[in-house]
Amino acid sequence: MIRLLDKVTGHLDADECIDIIYLDFSKAFDKVPHRRLLLKLEQHGICRKVKDWTQSWLNDRSERACVKGHSSAWRIVTSALPRGSVLGPVLFLIFINDLEQKLVNSAFKFAGDTKLLRKEDSSEKADSSEVMPISRNNKWHRQSETGCCS
């Protein structure tokens, strides 16, 4: 947050125009596929012991909903990071770490909130597709939603 504010105030102090796009991944922690997260841990060079420990921490979790004394059936959880954990936000940041690889903008991430910042060369409004070429059809988003690893 401080880095973002520093960058924004620097541009504004220099009388430069900027675009900022705020992203809030809906139910972000609930949509992290375990298999894909573990693959990303491996790609980041996380040692096998830590990866295995993380896998053990994520595996064999189940959940159910209880409303007014009625409970649903238990279901196995194959995606989602445990709530209230210290490790959850760290794992989420590792999961979305490659989000800005195809962007030429500055990206500022904290848990499920991401801000994209770009300095404008003129005061004209920018085409949003130039600022943020990420959409529902983007390969990164599709892989993240489906848990596809290719």
Side-chain angles (χ1 to χ4, degrees), residues 28-144:
F29 283 58
D30 294 336
K31 295 186 178 183
V32 176
H34 296 167
R35 201 177 96 210
R36 182 150 174 80
L37 173 63
L38 293 167
L39 177 68
K40 286 190 175 195
L41 288 175
E42 196 173 290
Q43 291 169 345
H44 278 80
I46 303 295
C47 74
R48 183 174 172 84
K49 251 185 191 179
V50 173
K51 183 184 160 261
D52 290 348
W53 177 83
T54 304
Q55 183 173 5
S56 174
W57 184 64
L58 293 171
N59 282 352
D60 299 324
R61 292 184 175 271
S62 55
E63 66 184 8
R64 69 178 177 170
C66 299
V67 179
K68 294 184 181 179
H70 300 282
S71 301
S72 67
W74 287 95
R75 76 173 186 99
I76 302 284
V77 178
T78 59
S79 65
L81 298 171
R83 299 192 185 286
S85 67
V86 173
L87 192 55
V90 173
L91 291 174
F92 184 76
L93 287 174
I94 290 171
F95 183 71
I96 66 167
N97 190 49
D98 60 348
L99 174 67
E100 73 267 10
Q101 282 181 348
K102 296 185 181 188
L103 300 176
V104 293
N105 313 308
S106 298
F108 300 88
K109 297 178 276 192
F110 178 75
D113 298 319
T114 300
K115 287 128 189 103
L116 302 176
L117 176 89
R118 180 180 86 161
K119 180 186 128 187
E120 276 297 303
D121 293 328
S122 69
S123 60
E124 293 179 26
K125 273 196 166 178
D127 176 10
S128 64
S129 65
E130 290 176 18
V131 177
M132 188 187 68
I134 297 173
S135 69
R136 277 192 126 13
N137 296 325
N138 181 275
K139 183 179 179 183
W140 184 92
H141 190 277
R142 285 194 317 271
Q143 287 176 340
S144 298

